Amino acid sequence: MDNQETLVQRAVINEPMFDSKTGEFGKGYSPDYGQTFIVQESVKGRIYHQETDAGRIGELIFDKLIFRSDDGTLWELSVNNDGKPQTKKIEKSEEKEKES
């Protein structure tokens, strides 16, 4: 292989960047040498991504989860002491509190 065929590839790990999907700023990595960026740490703390961190998310214990339905409604999911699922619709006023 001569020098003209050599591609310069640089590992992008734990560097400041904007997330390609969300636009959020923080420290993260690029799995494809700078084509896309995935932020893992922001001023809000650790960020987990469903596509790449499923194994890590599965090990965590949560008191509740918040889901967004297709129409944009937020739902809180938890369990009672008997282990039965409980859902609660998050009203607009509560949604603003959760974002801050």
Side-chain angles (χ1 to χ4, degrees), residues 23-92:
E24 186 157 9
F25 182 75
K27 282 192 170 184
Y29 70 97
S30 175
D32 50 14
Y33 305 106
Q35 298 285 326
T36 58
F37 299 101
I38 300 173
V39 170
Q40 292 182 301
E41 303 286 340
S42 75
V43 294
K44 297 177 185 175
R46 181 82 177 169
I47 298 173
Y48 291 95
H49 301 274
Q50 187 170 343
E51 301 85 10
T52 57
D53 295 326
R56 290 186 215 151
I57 293 170
E59 296 172 3
L60 299 175
I61 297 172
F62 296 96
D63 294 326
K64 60 187 172 186
L65 297 172
I66 297 175
F67 294 93
R68 185 182 319 275
S69 63
D70 290 339
D71 67 0
T73 304
L74 294 181
W75 294 90
E76 185 177 284
L77 174 67
S78 61
V79 294
N80 66 17
N81 290 333
D82 295 327
K84 294 181 180 171
Q86 296 179 314
T87 58
K88 174 186 166 192
K89 183 178 179 180
I90 298 175
E91 301 300 328
K92 292 291 182 187

